Amino acid sequence: MSASTKEYKRVTIKSLSEMKANGERIAMLTAYDYTMAKIVDSSGIDVILVGDSASNVMAGHETTLPLTLDQMIYHASSVIRAVDRALVVVDLPFGSYQGNSKSALNAAIRIMKESGGHAVKMEGGSEIKDSIKRILSAGIPVMGHLGLTPQSIYKFGTYTVRAKEEEEAKKLKEDAKLLEELGCFALVLEKIPAKLAAEVAADLSIPVIGIGAGGGVDGQVLVTHDMLGMTYEFNPRFLRRYLDLYTEMTNAFNQYIDDVKSGDFPNKKEQY
Ligand code: KIV
């Protein structure tokens, strides 16, 4: 399919569906705060994910599990204040939708009402079907997430590639189809074999966005702090670093410290 690029003043779930139909790849990045979201949105990104990776990146937790609904709403409302063009998708945090579809709906409503986000993302397939259905029935768009689902890290035990074995690949394909049938508008596939991800993308009419899922899908997502090279200790094969901000920032901080200690900063022009 040859790609054509249409100008979108505002990206909606309809725009994403058109992009898939036109063979235009979808570019998605994370943001958790106003300043980063402003830069990411001005760059022309299609989708901003207020990911629960904020738990690792912003709060320094080992997993995404500790993040609360109130914290997600805080991050999402900061992002929303910055964004003019991108579709903003907000992760429903661990514990807010797995047990009971009524509390799942309440959590999704709080996100939409209190942050102004445009859609929610949920990890899992058939196990969370009732929650997805109930949220969709309230008119809230849902993005699915299959493959490596970090909220289930203690079930998996490791962050290695998922669905390499036939049984897990079969379940992933069935779940992907189910999510489309339920009415999810898009699906994230994380850290699965490229061949399997391409098969799922070809089988579904909704956009499939990959992270560590190869190039045969309809779009890509990365954690912004990783692709900027700020989180230098995280080095998965799928990560392309576009900057080495860790080094750049360290150099800038070192220079500032030297300038303060030596009395070079502030100079005559930098004072009143
Ligand atoms: O929370 C997150 O950043 C995510 C992406 C890795 C897809 O879910």
Side-chain angles (χ1 to χ4, degrees):
M1 208 187 312
S2 71
S4 65
T5 308
K6 180 174 156 189
E7 270 308 308
Y8 291 97
K9 271 184 99 167
R10 182 109 232 179
V11 180
T12 62
I13 62 171
K14 185 164 167 277
S15 329
L16 299 185
S17 156
E18 278 176 15
M19 287 180 195
K20 169 145 184 163
N22 295 335
E24 178 184 343
R25 300 245 164 110
I26 297 162
M28 169 161 144
L29 282 171
T30 57
Y32 321 110
D33 65 51
Y34 176 87
T35 304
M36 185 70 88
K38 193 96 197 150
I39 303 172
V40 174
D41 187 54
S42 313
S43 311
I45 204 76
D46 298 313
V47 185
I48 293 183
L49 172 66
V50 186
D52 60 358
S53 49
S55 178
N56 315 101
V57 177
M58 303 303 282
H61 292 298
E62 204 180 313
T63 72
T64 57
L65 276 63
L67 213 68
T68 66
L69 185 57
D70 284 336
Q71 288 166 336
M72 283 308 295
I73 290 169
Y74 167 77
H75 287 298
S77 30
S78 309
V79 167
I80 280 289
R81 283 193 284 275
V83 169
D84 291 321
R85 179 181 177 274
L87 181 83
V88 178
V89 180
V90 185
D91 265 336
L92 277 180
F94 174 69
S96 68
Y97 60 94
Q98 284 90 349
N100 162 327
S101 66
K102 187 152 183 270
S103 32
L105 176 60
N106 288 339
I109 287 177
R110 279 201 61 203
I111 294 222
M112 303 298 281
K113 253 188 194 300
E114 295 176 39
S115 79
H118 307 142
V120 297
K121 177 163 81 58
M122 300 164 71
E123 297 182 6
S126 54
E127 323 76 41
I128 57 159
K129 167 170 116 228
D130 293 342
S131 295
I132 294 178
K133 265 173 131 170
R134 200 149 180 173
I135 291 171
L136 285 167
S137 73
I140 300 173
V142 175
M143 176 181 270
H145 183 157
L146 297 172
L148 178 65
T149 46
Q151 292 181 9
S152 308
I153 188 58
Y154 290 114
K155 183 173 103 186
F156 299 145
T158 77
Y159 285 99
T160 52
V161 181
R162 304 303 314 169
K164 276 162 82 175
E165 306 304 328
E166 204 174 312
E167 200 180 328
E168 196 180 337
K170 182 168 171 284
K171 156 105 170 95
L172 186 140
K173 281 181 167 176
E174 287 166 3
D175 278 342
K177 205 71 199 153
L178 173 70
L179 294 179
E180 171 168 75
E181 280 161 14
L182 290 174
C184 290
F185 72 93
L187 172 64
V188 166
L189 290 180
E190 180 165 352
K191 223 170 173 189
I192 63 167
K195 183 169 171 291
L196 173 62
E199 283 168 13
V200 173
D203 194 34
L204 299 191
S205 57
I206 57 170
V208 174
I209 299 174
I211 173 163
V217 290
D218 308 304
Q220 299 293 326
V221 55
L222 284 176
V223 170
T224 299
H225 290 68
D226 295 338
M227 61 86 83
L228 293 177
M230 295 172 88
T231 50
Y232 72 100
E233 63 290 272
F234 181 62
N235 272 311
R237 190 204 293 192
F238 66 76
L239 175 60
R240 185 179 293 182
R241 290 191 200 285
Y242 288 82
L243 279 178
D244 179 4
L245 266 194
Y246 188 90
T247 306
E248 295 283 317
M249 289 171 79
T250 306
N251 290 343
F253 297 147
N254 286 338
Q255 186 63 56
Y256 170 74
I257 294 165
D258 285 351
D259 290 352
V260 171
K261 302 266 177 202
S262 69
D264 180 76
F265 176 77
N267 64 24
K268 287 255 158 29
K269 285 188 194 151
E270 290 162 332
Q271 52 191 290
Y272 301 98

